[in-house]
Amino acid sequence: MVTSVLVLNSGSSSIKFGLFDIASAEPALLCKGLFDEHEAKPRLVVKDPAGKDLFATQSDAADAGSGHLFADVLGFIEDRFGKGRLRAVGHRVVHGGPDYSGPIELTDDVYAKLEALTPLAPLHQPRCLEPVRTIGAIRPGLTQIACFDTAFHHGITPPASRFAIPRRFEERGIRRYGFHGLSFEYVAGRLAEVAPDVATKRLVIAHLGNGASLCALRDGRSVDTTMGLTPLDGLVMGTHSGTIDPGVLLYLQQHENMSVGDLQHLLYHEAGLLGVSGLSADMRTLLASSEPAAREAVDLFTFRAAQEVTVMANTMGGLDGLVFTGGIGEHATEIRSAIAERLAWLGVRIDAAANDAARERINAGDSAVDVFVIPTNEELTIARHCAAVLG
């Protein structure tokens, strides 16, 4: 008998999902897929663990908000694995605020508290919560569980967690939270399997993708990270600015007549790689381009990433290991090489052949820092948390 959980990982334009059997100690992937509700005809694709197509459907654009695709995947699960086998739906929720340090069953009260955090992640939080309400309407008795991107960083303490603003704001929850925690948690766990001697040392994990951040870990625990109160902070990202002088924002308000809404759109949608290059937010496009502005955007990306690695190393008093993950970190050989070159003064040396092959360990023999490439798996992390909540 299959006892399963459906994991939903909501992004800005699509939702990745996986169905996991949780009857054993380690969740086993049964099938995976993608919802895309932003196309002209929203679509659903389901594949087996090896990538073979199992099911696909499209619906009219007018049906995009009515939950048809969720109903379709729930129906597929019942048809293939039997009714009553789905125990719960697990959701990646970007912001857990100060209250949630671990996975929790989604009640009306919890949902309301998470919805109230929307100002801290105005693009991400609604996107994560929308499927909760949709599935609740389709299957009101089905357990739903929230797993938080902020939870892994919950133990970060001052000074790393603190902004230099009046304490009354900190008492209201204005602090550094950090994100990509589900990814960092998985990668830290995987590193403990492949290199346990490194996993307990001073480590930086670089989750580099359309969204990007670093995490400093000591003894496998997060002690610092580049994102702060919101997912806007830190590294240069696809369309997000990352760290920016707050005086720039004041100037744009006062002298360019930009409203709060204008600034929000600028920082979330028009900045980052897209803003600097004027060409694309996609690193693959920029790396393939001969345009000077594209190269300048890539240069800024690697400059800021290397700069922030040194900040994380400062927090820990040194650097023993560096791990690349995320879409760019796992696949962009040139980006890994450029960041490592900027960190050569810290003793980072990578083996070119190992880097080109994206092997698990890519540091050269004379490197003072162990360097790895480890693909992330947020969906499996969520499945593990759901299994623990369900007992």
Side-chain angles (χ1 to χ4, degrees), residues 44-133:
L44 162 68
V45 177
V46 185
K47 300 176 182 288
D48 71 10
K52 180 182 177 182
D53 287 344
L54 297 176
F55 178 74
T57 186
Q58 286 187 302
S59 59
D60 292 333
D63 296 331
S66 61
H68 283 117
L69 296 182
F70 291 104
D72 287 339
V73 77
L74 292 173
F76 167 81
I77 291 170
E78 287 188 348
D79 290 343
R80 189 169 184 88
F81 301 102
K83 291 186 176 181
R85 302 297 186 245
L86 184 63
R87 288 281 308 278
V89 179
H91 300 265
R92 169 180 168 253
V93 177
V94 167
H95 218 305
D99 296 329
Y100 299 111
S101 59
I104 189 169
E105 184 174 340
L106 279 155
T107 63
D108 289 343
D109 181 60
V110 171
Y111 184 94
K113 290 180 179 178
L114 297 179
E115 196 172 39
L117 295 172
T118 295
L120 304 187
L123 296 188
H124 303 80
Q125 199 80 344
R127 182 68 179 163
C128 295
L129 295 177
E130 181 183 356
V132 177
R133 192 167 292 282

Coordinates of all heavy atoms in Angstrom, one line a residue, residues 44-133:
L44 N -0.3 21.0 -17.4 CA 0.1 20.1 -16.4 C 0.9 19.0 -17.0 O 0.4 18.4 -18.0 CB -1.0 19.6 -15.5 CG -0.8 18.3 -14.7 CD1 0.2 18.6 -13.6 CD2 -2.1 17.7 -14.2
V45 N 2.1 18.7 -16.6 CA 2.9 17.6 -17.1 C 3.3 16.7 -15.9 O 3.8 17.2 -14.9 CB 4.1 18.0 -17.9 CG1 4.9 16.9 -18.3 CG2 3.7 18.9 -19.1
V46 N 3.1 15.4 -16.0 CA 3.5 14.4 -15.0 C 4.5 13.4 -15.6 O 4.2 12.9 -16.7 CB 2.3 13.7 -14.3 CG1 2.8 12.8 -13.2 CG2 1.2 14.7 -13.9
K47 N 5.6 13.2 -14.9 CA 6.6 12.2 -15.4 C 6.9 11.2 -14.3 O 6.7 11.5 -13.1 CB 7.9 13.0 -15.8 CG 7.7 14.0 -17.0 CD 9.0 14.7 -17.2 CE 8.8 15.8 -18.3 NZ 8.6 15.2 -19.7
D48 N 7.5 10.1 -14.7 CA 7.9 9.1 -13.7 C 9.3 9.6 -13.2 O 9.9 10.5 -13.8 CB 7.9 7.7 -14.3 CG 9.0 7.5 -15.3 OD1 9.9 8.3 -15.5 OD2 9.0 6.4 -16.0
P49 N 9.9 8.9 -12.2 CA 11.2 9.4 -11.7 C 12.3 9.4 -12.7 O 13.2 10.2 -12.5 CB 11.5 8.4 -10.6 CG 10.1 7.9 -10.1 CD 9.3 7.9 -11.4
A50 N 12.2 8.6 -13.8 CA 13.2 8.6 -14.8 C 13.0 9.7 -15.9 O 13.8 9.9 -16.7 CB 13.3 7.3 -15.4
G51 N 11.9 10.4 -15.8 CA 11.6 11.5 -16.7 C 10.6 11.1 -17.9 O 10.4 11.8 -18.8
K52 N 10.1 9.9 -17.8 CA 9.2 9.4 -18.9 C 7.8 10.0 -18.7 O 7.3 10.0 -17.5 CB 9.1 7.9 -18.9 CG 8.1 7.3 -19.9 CD 8.0 5.8 -19.8 CE 7.0 5.2 -20.8 NZ 6.9 3.8 -20.7
D53 N 7.2 10.5 -19.7 CA 5.9 11.2 -19.6 C 4.8 10.1 -19.2 O 4.7 9.0 -19.7 CB 5.4 11.8 -20.9 CG 6.2 13.0 -21.3 OD1 6.8 13.6 -20.4 OD2 6.2 13.4 -22.5
L54 N 4.0 10.5 -18.2 CA 2.9 9.7 -17.7 C 1.6 10.3 -18.0 O 0.6 9.6 -18.3 CB 3.0 9.5 -16.2 CG 4.3 8.8 -15.6 CD1 4.2 8.8 -14.1 CD2 4.3 7.3 -16.2
F55 N 1.5 11.7 -17.9 CA 0.2 12.3 -18.1 C 0.5 13.8 -18.4 O 1.4 14.4 -18.0 CB -0.6 12.3 -16.8 CG -1.9 13.0 -16.8 CD1 -3.0 12.4 -17.5 CD2 -2.1 14.2 -16.1 CE1 -4.2 13.1 -17.5 CE2 -3.3 14.8 -16.1 CZ -4.4 14.3 -16.8
A56 N -0.4 14.4 -19.3 CA -0.3 15.8 -19.6 C -1.6 16.3 -20.0 O -2.4 15.6 -20.6 CB 0.7 16.0 -20.8
T57 N -1.9 17.5 -19.7 CA -3.2 18.2 -20.0 C -3.0 19.7 -20.1 O -2.1 20.2 -19.5 CB -4.3 17.8 -19.1 OG1 -5.5 18.3 -19.5 CG2 -4.0 18.3 -17.7
Q58 N -3.9 20.3 -20.8 CA -3.9 21.8 -20.8 C -5.4 22.2 -20.6 O -6.3 21.5 -20.9 CB -3.4 22.3 -22.2 CG -1.9 22.3 -22.4 CD -1.5 23.0 -23.6 OE1 -1.9 22.6 -24.7 NE2 -0.6 23.9 -23.5
S59 N -5.5 23.4 -20.1 CA -6.9 24.0 -19.9 C -6.9 25.3 -20.5 O -5.9 26.0 -20.8 CB -7.2 24.0 -18.4 OG -6.3 24.8 -17.7
D60 N -8.1 25.8 -20.7 CA -8.3 27.2 -21.3 C -7.8 28.2 -20.3 O -7.8 28.0 -19.0 CB -9.8 27.4 -21.6 CG -10.3 26.6 -22.7 OD1 -9.5 26.2 -23.6 OD2 -11.5 26.3 -22.7
A61 N -7.3 29.3 -20.8 CA -6.8 30.4 -19.9 C -7.9 30.9 -18.9 O -7.6 31.2 -17.8 CB -6.4 31.6 -20.8
A62 N -9.1 30.8 -19.3 CA -10.2 31.3 -18.5 C -10.3 30.4 -17.2 O -10.9 30.8 -16.2 CB -11.5 31.3 -19.2
D63 N -9.8 29.1 -17.3 CA -9.9 28.2 -16.2 C -8.7 28.2 -15.3 O -8.6 27.5 -14.3 CB -10.0 26.8 -16.7 CG -11.3 26.6 -17.5 OD1 -12.3 27.3 -17.2 OD2 -11.3 25.7 -18.4
A64 N -7.7 29.1 -15.6 CA -6.4 29.1 -14.8 C -6.6 29.3 -13.4 O -5.9 28.7 -12.6 CB -5.5 30.2 -15.4
G65 N -7.5 30.1 -12.9 CA -7.6 30.4 -11.5 C -8.6 29.5 -10.8 O -8.9 29.7 -9.6
S66 N -9.2 28.5 -11.5 CA -10.3 27.7 -10.9 C -9.8 26.4 -10.3 O -10.7 25.6 -9.8 CB -11.4 27.5 -11.9 OG -10.8 26.7 -13.0
G67 N -8.5 26.1 -10.3 CA -8.0 24.9 -9.7 C -8.2 23.6 -10.6 O -7.9 22.5 -10.1
H68 N -8.4 23.8 -11.9 CA -8.6 22.6 -12.7 C -7.3 21.8 -12.7 O -7.4 20.5 -12.7 CB -9.0 23.0 -14.1 CG -10.4 23.4 -14.3 ND1 -10.8 24.6 -14.6 CD2 -11.6 22.6 -14.1 CE1 -12.2 24.6 -14.7 NE2 -12.6 23.5 -14.3
L69 N -6.2 22.4 -12.8 CA -4.9 21.6 -12.9 C -4.6 20.9 -11.6 O -4.1 19.8 -11.6 CB -3.7 22.6 -13.2 CG -3.8 23.3 -14.6 CD1 -2.5 24.1 -14.8 CD2 -3.9 22.3 -15.7
F70 N -5.0 21.5 -10.4 CA -4.8 20.8 -9.2 C -5.8 19.6 -9.1 O -5.4 18.5 -8.6 CB -5.0 21.7 -8.0 CG -4.0 22.7 -7.8 CD1 -4.2 24.1 -8.2 CD2 -2.7 22.4 -7.3 CE1 -3.2 25.0 -8.1 CE2 -1.7 23.4 -7.2 CZ -2.0 24.7 -7.6
A71 N -7.0 19.8 -9.5 CA -8.0 18.7 -9.6 C -7.5 17.6 -10.5 O -7.6 16.4 -10.2 CB -9.3 19.2 -10.0
D72 N -6.9 18.0 -11.6 CA -6.4 17.0 -12.6 C -5.3 16.1 -11.9 O -5.2 14.9 -12.1 CB -5.8 17.6 -13.8 CG -6.9 18.2 -14.7 OD1 -8.1 17.7 -14.6 OD2 -6.7 19.1 -15.5
V73 N -4.3 16.7 -11.2 CA -3.2 16.0 -10.7 C -3.7 15.1 -9.5 O -3.3 14.0 -9.3 CB -2.0 16.9 -10.2 CG1 -2.3 17.6 -8.9 CG2 -0.8 16.1 -10.1
L74 N -4.7 15.6 -8.7 CA -5.2 14.8 -7.7 C -6.0 13.6 -8.2 O -5.9 12.5 -7.7 CB -6.1 15.6 -6.8 CG -5.5 16.7 -5.9 CD1 -6.5 17.6 -5.2 CD2 -4.5 16.1 -4.9
G75 N -6.7 13.8 -9.3 CA -7.4 12.7 -10.0 C -6.4 11.7 -10.6 O -6.6 10.5 -10.5
F76 N -5.3 12.2 -11.2 CA -4.3 11.3 -11.7 C -3.7 10.4 -10.6 O -3.5 9.2 -10.8 CB -3.1 12.1 -12.4 CG -1.9 11.3 -12.6 CD1 -1.8 10.5 -13.8 CD2 -0.8 11.3 -11.8 CE1 -0.7 9.7 -14.0 CE2 0.3 10.5 -12.0 CZ 0.4 9.8 -13.2
I77 N -3.4 11.0 -9.4 CA -2.8 10.3 -8.3 C -3.8 9.2 -7.9 O -3.4 8.0 -7.6 CB -2.5 11.2 -7.1 CG1 -1.4 12.1 -7.5 CG2 -2.2 10.4 -5.8 CD1 -1.1 13.3 -6.5
E78 N -5.1 9.5 -7.8 CA -6.1 8.5 -7.4 C -6.2 7.3 -8.4 O -6.2 6.2 -8.1 CB -7.4 9.1 -7.2 CG -7.5 10.0 -5.9 CD -9.0 10.4 -5.7 OE1 -9.8 10.3 -6.6 OE2 -9.2 11.0 -4.6
D79 N -6.2 7.7 -9.7 CA -6.3 6.7 -10.7 C -5.1 5.8 -10.8 O -5.2 4.6 -11.0 CB -6.4 7.4 -12.1 CG -7.8 8.1 -12.3 OD1 -8.7 7.8 -11.5 OD2 -7.9 8.9 -13.2
R80 N -3.9 6.3 -10.5 CA -2.7 5.5 -10.7 C -2.3 4.8 -9.4 O -1.8 3.6 -9.4 CB -1.5 6.4 -11.1 CG -0.3 5.6 -11.5 CD 0.8 6.4 -12.1 NE 1.9 5.7 -12.6 CZ 2.0 5.1 -13.8 NH1 1.0 5.1 -14.6 NH2 3.1 4.4 -14.1
F81 N -2.5 5.4 -8.2 CA -2.1 4.8 -7.0 C -3.2 4.4 -6.0 O -2.9 3.9 -5.0 CB -1.1 5.8 -6.3 CG 0.1 6.2 -7.1 CD1 0.1 7.4 -7.8 CD2 1.1 5.3 -7.2 CE1 1.2 7.8 -8.5 CE2 2.2 5.7 -8.0 CZ 2.3 6.9 -8.6
G82 N -4.5 4.7 -6.4 CA -5.6 4.3 -5.6 C -6.1 5.4 -4.7 O -5.4 6.2 -4.2
K83 N -7.4 5.4 -4.5 CA -8.0 6.3 -3.6 C -7.6 6.1 -2.1 O -7.4 5.0 -1.7 CB -9.6 6.3 -3.7 CG -10.1 6.7 -5.0 CD -11.6 6.8 -5.1 CE -12.1 7.3 -6.4 NZ -13.6 7.4 -6.4
G84 N -7.5 7.2 -1.4 CA -7.2 7.1 0.0 C -5.7 7.0 0.3 O -5.4 6.8 1.5
R85 N -4.9 7.0 -0.7 CA -3.5 6.8 -0.4 C -2.7 8.1 -0.2 O -1.6 8.1 0.4 CB -2.8 6.1 -1.6 CG -3.4 4.7 -1.9 CD -3.2 3.7 -0.8 NE -3.7 2.4 -1.1 CZ -4.7 1.8 -0.6 NH1 -5.4 2.4 0.4 NH2 -5.0 0.6 -1.0
L86 N -3.3 9.2 -0.6 CA -2.7 10.5 -0.4 C -2.9 11.0 1.0 O -4.1 11.3 1.4 CB -3.2 11.5 -1.4 CG -2.5 12.9 -1.4 CD1 -1.0 12.8 -1.8 CD2 -3.2 13.8 -2.4
R87 N -1.9 11.1 1.8 CA -2.0 11.5 3.2 C -2.1 13.0 3.4 O -2.8 13.5 4.3 CB -0.8 10.9 4.0 CG -0.9 9.5 4.3 CD -1.8 9.1 5.4 NE -1.6 9.8 6.6 CZ -0.7 9.5 7.5 NH1 0.1 8.5 7.3 NH2 -0.6 10.2 8.6
A88 N -1.3 13.7 2.6 CA -1.2 15.2 2.8 C -0.5 15.8 1.6 O 0.0 15.2 0.7 CB -0.3 15.4 4.0
V89 N -0.6 17.2 1.6 CA 0.1 18.0 0.6 C 1.0 18.9 1.4 O 0.6 19.6 2.3 CB -0.9 18.9 -0.2 CG1 -0.2 19.7 -1.2 CG2 -1.9 18.0 -0.9
G90 N 2.3 18.9 1.0 CA 3.3 19.7 1.6 C 3.6 20.9 0.7 O 3.8 20.7 -0.5
H91 N 3.7 22.1 1.3 CA 4.0 23.3 0.5 C 5.3 24.0 1.0 O 5.5 24.1 2.2 CB 2.8 24.3 0.8 CG 1.5 23.8 0.4 ND1 0.9 24.1 -0.8 CD2 0.6 23.1 1.1 CE1 -0.3 23.5 -0.9 NE2 -0.5 22.9 0.2
R92 N 6.1 24.4 0.0 CA 7.2 25.3 0.3 C 6.6 26.7 0.5 O 5.9 27.2 -0.4 CB 8.2 25.4 -0.9 CG 9.2 26.5 -0.7 CD 10.2 26.5 -1.9 NE 11.0 27.7 -1.9 CZ 10.8 28.7 -2.8 NH1 9.9 28.6 -3.7 NH2 11.6 29.7 -2.8
V93 N 6.7 27.2 1.7 CA 6.3 28.6 2.0 C 7.5 29.4 2.3 O 8.4 29.1 3.1 CB 5.3 28.6 3.2 CG1 4.9 30.0 3.6 CG2 4.1 27.8 2.9
V94 N 7.7 30.5 1.6 CA 8.9 31.3 1.6 C 9.2 31.9 3.0 O 10.3 31.8 3.5 CB 8.9 32.4 0.5 CG1 10.0 33.4 0.7 CG2 9.0 31.8 -0.9
H95 N 8.2 32.6 3.6 CA 8.4 33.3 4.8 C 7.6 32.7 6.0 O 6.4 32.6 5.9 CB 8.0 34.8 4.7 CG 8.9 35.7 5.4 ND1 9.2 35.6 6.7 CD2 9.7 36.8 4.9 CE1 10.1 36.6 7.1 NE2 10.4 37.3 6.0
G96 N 8.3 32.3 7.1 CA 7.7 31.9 8.3 C 7.7 32.9 9.4 O 7.1 32.6 10.4
G97 N 8.3 34.0 9.2 CA 8.3 35.1 10.2 C 9.0 34.6 11.4 O 9.7 33.6 11.5
P98 N 8.8 35.3 12.6 CA 9.4 34.9 13.8 C 8.8 33.7 14.5 O 9.4 33.2 15.4 CB 9.3 36.2 14.7 CG 8.0 36.8 14.1 CD 8.0 36.5 12.7
D99 N 7.6 33.3 14.1 CA 6.9 32.3 14.9 C 7.2 30.9 14.5 O 7.0 30.0 15.3 CB 5.4 32.6 14.8 CG 5.0 33.9 15.4 OD1 5.7 34.3 16.4 OD2 4.0 34.5 14.9
Y100 N 7.6 30.6 13.2 CA 7.6 29.3 12.7 C 9.0 28.8 12.4 O 9.6 29.3 11.4 CB 6.7 29.1 11.5 CG 5.3 29.4 11.8 CD1 4.6 30.6 11.3 CD2 4.5 28.6 12.7 CE1 3.3 30.9 11.6 CE2 3.2 28.9 13.0 CZ 2.6 30.0 12.5 OH 1.3 30.3 12.8
S101 N 9.5 27.9 13.2 CA 10.9 27.4 13.0 C 10.9 26.0 12.5 O 12.0 25.4 12.4 CB 11.6 27.5 14.4 OG 11.0 26.7 15.3
G102 N 9.8 25.5 12.1 CA 9.7 24.1 11.6 C 8.4 23.9 10.9 O 7.5 24.8 10.9
P103 N 8.2 22.7 10.3 CA 7.0 22.5 9.5 C 5.8 22.4 10.4 O 5.9 22.1 11.6 CB 7.3 21.1 8.9 CG 8.3 20.5 9.8 CD 9.2 21.6 10.2
I104 N 4.6 22.8 9.9 CA 3.4 22.9 10.7 C 2.2 22.6 9.8 O 2.2 23.0 8.6 CB 3.3 24.2 11.4 CG1 2.2 24.2 12.4 CG2 3.1 25.4 10.4 CD1 2.2 25.4 13.4
E105 N 1.2 22.0 10.4 CA 0.0 21.7 9.7 C -0.8 23.1 9.5 O -0.8 23.9 10.4 CB -0.9 20.8 10.5 CG -2.2 20.4 9.7 CD -3.0 19.3 10.4 OE1 -2.5 18.6 11.3 OE2 -4.2 19.2 10.1
L106 N -1.3 23.2 8.3 CA -1.9 24.5 7.9 C -3.4 24.5 8.4 O -4.3 23.9 7.8 CB -1.8 24.7 6.4 CG -0.5 25.2 5.9 CD1 -0.2 24.9 4.5 CD2 -0.4 26.8 6.1
T107 N -3.6 25.2 9.5 CA -5.0 25.5 9.9 C -5.4 26.9 9.4 O -4.6 27.6 8.9 CB -5.1 25.5 11.4 OG1 -4.2 26.5 12.0 CG2 -4.6 24.1 12.0
D108 N -6.6 27.3 9.6 CA -7.1 28.6 9.2 C -6.3 29.7 9.9 O -5.9 30.7 9.3 CB -8.6 28.8 9.5 CG -9.5 28.0 8.6 OD1 -9.0 27.5 7.5 OD2 -10.6 27.8 8.9
D109 N -6.0 29.4 11.2 CA -5.2 30.4 12.0 C -3.8 30.6 11.5 O -3.3 31.7 11.3 CB -5.2 30.0 13.5 CG -4.4 31.0 14.3 OD1 -4.9 32.2 14.4 OD2 -3.5 30.6 15.0
V110 N -3.1 29.4 11.2 CA -1.8 29.5 10.7 C -1.8 30.1 9.3 O -0.9 31.0 9.0 CB -1.2 28.0 10.6 CG1 0.1 28.1 9.8 CG2 -1.0 27.4 11.9
Y111 N -2.7 29.8 8.5 CA -2.8 30.4 7.1 C -2.9 31.9 7.2 O -2.2 32.7 6.5 CB -4.0 29.9 6.4 CG -4.1 30.4 5.0 CD1 -3.6 29.6 3.9 CD2 -4.8 31.6 4.7 CE1 -3.7 30.1 2.6 CE2 -4.8 32.0 3.4 CZ -4.3 31.3 2.3 OH -4.4 31.8 1.0
A112 N -3.8 32.4 8.2 CA -4.0 33.8 8.3 C -2.7 34.5 8.8 O -2.3 35.6 8.3 CB -5.1 34.1 9.3
K113 N -1.9 33.9 9.7 CA -0.6 34.5 10.1 C 0.4 34.5 9.0 O 1.2 35.5 8.9 CB -0.1 33.6 11.3 CG -0.9 33.8 12.6 CD -0.3 33.0 13.7 CE -1.1 33.2 15.0 NZ -0.6 32.3 16.1
L114 N 0.4 33.5 8.1 CA 1.3 33.5 7.0 C 0.9 34.5 6.0 O 1.8 35.1 5.3 CB 1.4 32.1 6.4 CG 1.9 31.0 7.3 CD1 1.9 29.6 6.6 CD2 3.3 31.3 7.8
E115 N -0.4 34.7 5.8 CA -0.9 35.6 4.8 C -0.5 37.1 5.3 O -0.2 37.9 4.4 CB -2.4 35.5 4.7 CG -2.9 36.2 3.4 CD -4.4 35.9 3.2 OE1 -5.1 35.8 4.2 OE2 -4.8 35.7 2.1
A116 N -0.4 37.3 6.6 CA -0.1 38.6 7.1 C 1.4 38.9 6.9 O 1.8 40.1 7.0 CB -0.4 38.6 8.6
L117 N 2.2 37.9 6.5 CA 3.6 38.1 6.2 C 3.9 38.5 4.8 O 5.0 38.8 4.4 CB 4.4 36.9 6.6 CG 4.5 36.4 8.0 CD1 5.1 35.1 8.2 CD2 5.2 37.5 8.9
T118 N 2.8 38.7 4.0 CA 2.9 39.0 2.6 C 3.8 40.2 2.3 O 4.6 40.3 1.4 CB 1.6 39.1 1.9 OG1 0.9 37.9 2.0 CG2 1.7 39.6 0.5
P119 N 3.7 41.3 3.2 CA 4.5 42.5 2.9 C 6.0 42.2 2.9 O 6.8 42.9 2.4 CB 4.1 43.5 4.0 CG 2.7 43.1 4.4 CD 2.7 41.6 4.2
L120 N 6.4 41.1 3.6 CA 7.8 40.8 3.7 C 8.3 39.9 2.5 O 9.5 39.8 2.3 CB 8.1 40.0 5.0 CG 7.7 40.7 6.3 CD1 8.2 39.9 7.5 CD2 8.3 42.1 6.3
A121 N 7.4 39.4 1.7 CA 7.7 38.7 0.5 C 6.5 38.8 -0.5 O 5.8 37.9 -0.7 CB 8.0 37.2 0.8
P122 N 6.3 40.0 -1.0 CA 5.1 40.3 -1.7 C 4.9 39.5 -3.0 O 3.7 39.3 -3.4 CB 5.2 41.8 -2.0 CG 6.6 42.1 -1.9 CD 7.2 41.2 -0.9
L123 N 5.9 39.1 -3.6 CA 5.8 38.2 -4.8 C 5.6 36.8 -4.4 O 4.8 36.0 -5.0 CB 7.0 38.4 -5.7 CG 7.2 39.8 -6.4 CD1 8.3 39.7 -7.4 CD2 5.9 40.3 -7.0
H124 N 6.4 36.3 -3.5 CA 6.6 34.9 -3.2 C 5.5 34.4 -2.3 O 5.0 33.3 -2.5 CB 7.9 34.6 -2.5 CG 9.1 35.1 -3.3 ND1 9.5 36.4 -3.4 CD2 10.0 34.4 -4.1 CE1 10.6 36.5 -4.1 NE2 10.8 35.4 -4.6
Q125 N 5.1 35.1 -1.2 CA 4.2 34.5 -0.2 C 2.8 34.2 -0.8 O 2.3 33.1 -0.6 CB 4.1 35.5 1.0 CG 3.5 34.8 2.2 CD 4.6 34.0 3.0 OE1 5.6 33.7 2.4 NE2 4.3 33.7 4.2
P126 N 2.2 35.2 -1.6 CA 0.9 34.8 -2.2 C 1.0 33.6 -3.1 O 0.0 32.8 -3.2 CB 0.5 36.1 -2.9 CG 1.3 37.2 -2.3 CD 2.6 36.6 -1.9
R127 N 2.1 33.5 -3.9 CA 2.2 32.4 -4.8 C 2.3 31.1 -4.1 O 1.8 30.1 -4.6 CB 3.5 32.7 -5.6 CG 3.8 31.6 -6.7 CD 2.7 31.7 -7.8 NE 3.0 30.6 -8.8 CZ 2.2 30.2 -9.7 NH1 0.9 30.7 -9.7 NH2 2.5 29.3 -10.6
C128 N 3.0 31.1 -2.9 CA 3.1 29.9 -2.1 C 1.7 29.5 -1.4 O 1.4 28.3 -1.3 CB 4.1 30.0 -1.0 SG 5.8 30.2 -1.6
L129 N 1.0 30.5 -1.1 CA -0.3 30.2 -0.3 C -1.5 30.0 -1.2 O -2.5 29.3 -0.8 CB -0.6 31.4 0.6 CG 0.5 31.6 1.8 CD1 0.1 32.9 2.6 CD2 0.5 30.4 2.7
E130 N -1.4 30.5 -2.4 CA -2.6 30.3 -3.3 C -3.0 28.8 -3.5 O -4.2 28.5 -3.4 CB -2.3 30.9 -4.7 CG -3.4 30.8 -5.7 CD -3.0 31.4 -7.0 OE1 -1.9 31.9 -7.2 OE2 -3.8 31.3 -8.0
P131 N -2.0 27.9 -3.7 CA -2.4 26.5 -3.8 C -3.1 25.9 -2.6 O -3.9 25.0 -2.6 CB -1.1 25.8 -4.2 CG -0.2 26.8 -4.7 CD -0.6 28.1 -4.0
V132 N -2.7 26.4 -1.4 CA -3.3 25.9 -0.1 C -4.8 26.1 -0.1 O -5.6 25.2 0.1 CB -2.7 26.7 1.1 CG1 -3.3 26.2 2.4 CG2 -1.2 26.5 1.1
R133 N -5.2 27.3 -0.5 CA -6.7 27.6 -0.5 C -7.4 26.8 -1.6 O -8.5 26.3 -1.5 CB -6.9 29.1 -0.6 CG -8.3 29.5 -0.4 CD -8.5 31.0 -0.2 NE -7.9 31.5 1.0 CZ -8.4 31.4 2.2 NH1 -9.6 30.8 2.4 NH2 -7.8 32.0 3.2

